[in-house]
Amino acid sequence: MSTTKHASPASFEGTLRDMWETRPVRPRSGGKVGGVATAIGLRYGVDPILVRVAFVLAALYGGAGLVLYLLGWLLFPKEGDPVPGRPKPPPEPTSSTLAVFLVVLLIPSVFWLATSPSIIGLAVGLGAYYLLHHAYGDRGTPSTATAAAPADATTEVRPDAAPTEQLATRTPPSWDPLGAAPFAWDLPEPSDPEPPEPDRATHRWLTWATLVLAAFAGGLTSSLGAPLHISLAFALGVVGLGMVAGAFLRSGRGLFVAAVPLAAVAVLASTAPEDVDVVDDALDERTVRPATAEELDPDYELSAGTITLDLRELQLVEDEAVSTAATVGAGDIVVRLPEGVDTTASCHAEMGDVRCLGPSVEGTVDRVTTDLGADGPGGGQLVLDLRVGMGSVEVTRG
C-alpha cells in the first residue's frame, strides 16, 4: 500500500498550497470595486482600509498594485448566492465573462512591469501577502471539527422501553452524578468560560517612527537631486512598509491619514511640467565666464550638480572690489581665478573634499584663505563665499 506525502503546513510548499485552498472569498456586499480588499480583510482579520491603501501605494510603483488587484479579482472566488432555509452555499468561481474581461485588462497591465520600480512593487506585494497568510492564515476559516459526545455518556436505549426504564438505563452526565435532574440530561455539557484575551501592546511608536523615516527618505533623495515626485514616492514606500508592519502589529492606522494626501501630491507632482519643478535646476551643470564685474552675479545656487566659475578673463580696475557666492546641495564647486586679483575665499563643506587655494582637506571643512596672487597686492579684490552640503570645493589660480 502506497502513501502520499504532503508538505508540512509550516513549509513553503505547504503554505502556498494552503494559500490557494483557503484563499479569500469576495463578498457580495461591502466591496468597493471587485471586493478584493474586503475579501483579504475578512479572511485575515485586518482592516480593509489598510488593504486598500496598500493597493494604492503599490499602484504608484509602475502599476504593480493594479496588476495585483486584477489578479485577486480573477483568482478569488465570489460568495455564493444565499438561499433562504438552506446552509451557506459554497463560493462560486469568477464568471467566464468577467474572467475574459479581466484577462484583457491584465495583458496591457503586464507591460507596465518592465521597469524596476514596478517589479519591486510586485515582489513586495506578493511577499507581504505571503507573510500575512503565514502569520494569520488560521483566521477567517470556519472550523470543521465537531465536538463528539463522550462514549460512556449514554447507553443503548430500546425504543419500546418504558420511560422510567429508559431513564434507569442511561448513565448520568458528569455534571449530575447523583441523577437528580434526569429531565435536563439532554442539554449540552457546560463548558468552562473562555479566558479573556490578553491586552496587546498598541505599538503607537510605529506611526511616529514610520513618519520620521519617510521624511528622512524623502529629504535624502531630494538633497541628492531627485525630482519631487520621486522623493515623494520614496516617502510613500516607507509609509507603505509601515502599514504592512502595522497590519501584523495591529497598529499604524494613523499612517492612512498621512498616506492619502502624500499620494495625492505625488500624483500631481508626477504630472506637472518639468519647468515647474521646485528643485532649482536639479542635477545641472552651470559654467560662468564673466569678463567684467557687471557680468558676475552676486549669488549662484544649485540643489545638485556642478557650478564652475571660470574667472580667468575677469578684469578688475585698481582698488575695485567684487564679491560673489555659490551654494550646491550635493555636487561640486570649481573656481578658476585670474593671476593678479587679490582673493579671499571662504570654503565650507558639510561632508566632502575642500581644496581652497591650498592642500586638499576631507571631512567637514570650514576654511578661509587669502591669496594676493603672484604680483602681490593690487589688481582688484575678489571675495568668494563657497558652500557645499555634500561634495567638493576647489579654488585654484589660472
Side-chain angles (χ1 to χ4, degrees):
M1 180 177 62
S2 61
T3 59
T4 304
K5 295 183 179 179
H6 297 281
S8 171
S11 66
F12 179 76
E13 180 183 353
T15 302
L16 292 181
R17 182 188 297 112
D18 189 61
M19 287 172 62
W20 175 256
E21 293 176 351
T22 63
R23 61 191 183 277
V25 177
R26 295 181 289 111
R28 288 188 171 272
S29 61
K32 298 299 182 182
V33 182
V36 177
T38 304
I40 295 175
L42 294 176
R43 169 64 179 85
Y44 297 107
V46 297
D47 194 335
I49 295 179
L50 295 179
V51 182
R52 295 189 185 104
V53 172
F55 275 117
V56 172
L57 293 177
L60 298 178
Y61 288 86
L66 177 61
V67 174
L68 291 172
Y69 194 92
L70 293 176
L71 286 174
W73 199 349
L74 177 65
L75 300 178
F76 293 169
K78 188 176 183 179
E79 184 180 13
D81 192 6
V83 178
R86 294 187 179 181
K88 185 177 180 180
E92 301 174 356
T94 305
S95 63
S96 302
T97 304
L98 180 59
V100 172
F101 176 72
L102 294 175
V103 171
V104 171
L105 291 179
L106 277 169
I107 292 176
S109 300
V110 171
F111 289 100
W112 295 349
L113 303 180
T115 61
S116 297
S118 58
I119 296 175
I120 294 174
L122 184 65
V124 170
L126 293 176
Y129 181 62
Y130 175 85
L131 293 176
L132 183 65
H133 181 87
H134 187 74
Y136 298 134
D138 56 342
R139 295 183 178 181
T141 54
S143 177
T144 57
T146 58
D152 57 349
T154 60
T155 58
E156 183 179 359
V157 180
R158 301 193 315 273
D160 56 346
T164 56
E165 185 180 356
Q166 293 180 6
L167 292 175
T169 58
R170 295 177 61 184
T171 302
S174 59
W175 59 269
D176 188 19
L178 299 179
F183 58 87
W185 288 359
D186 293 330
L187 296 177
E189 289 280 350
S191 58
D192 296 332
E194 295 184 0
E197 185 177 355
D199 295 336
R200 296 179 179 268
T202 56
H203 300 288
R204 294 181 179 178
W205 56 267
L206 178 65
T207 299
W208 297 109
T210 302
L211 292 178
V212 170
L213 290 176
F216 177 77
L220 179 62
T221 53
S222 178
S223 67
L224 294 176
L228 177 61
H229 64 280
I230 297 297
S231 300
L232 293 176
F234 272 91
L236 275 174
V238 176
V239 173
L241 293 177
M243 288 183 172
V244 173
F248 291 97
L249 299 177
R250 297 184 180 181
S251 181
R253 292 192 178 186
L255 296 175
F256 174 76
V257 180
V260 172
L262 198 61
V265 175
V267 172
L268 292 176
S270 64
T271 58
E274 301 242 345
D275 55 355
V276 189
D277 197 343
V278 297
V279 180
D280 188 17
D281 297 328
L283 293 177
D284 196 4
E285 292 188 6
R286 182 178 299 182
T287 301
V288 180
R289 294 186 178 89
T292 63
E294 290 75 14
E295 297 178 3
L296 185 64
D297 292 342
D299 182 70
Y300 299 92
E301 183 175 356
L302 286 179
S303 295
T306 302
I307 294 179
T308 301
L309 300 181
D310 190 350
L311 308 179
R312 289 175 292 184
E313 303 298 327
L314 180 63
Q315 300 293 328
L316 299 179
V317 299
E318 192 71 23
D319 298 332
E320 182 179 9
V322 64
S323 62
T324 187
T327 304
V328 175
D332 305 313
I333 299 177
V334 179
V335 181
R336 300 286 183 262
L337 298 175
E339 292 293 342
V341 176
D342 300 343
T343 303
T344 299
S346 175
C347 305
H348 176 81
E350 295 290 341
M351 182 174 64
D353 177 76
V354 172
R355 183 183 177 191
C356 192
L357 293 169
S360 178
V361 182
E362 296 182 355
T364 300
V365 184
D366 194 354
R367 172 165 295 188
V368 178
T369 304
T370 300
D371 186 277
L372 302 179
D375 58 351
Q381 185 177 2
L382 178 63
V383 178
L384 300 175
D385 185 7
L386 311 174
R387 297 179 176 273
V388 66
M390 182 172 60
S392 65
V393 178
E394 181 182 357
V395 183
T396 58
R397 290 277 184 185

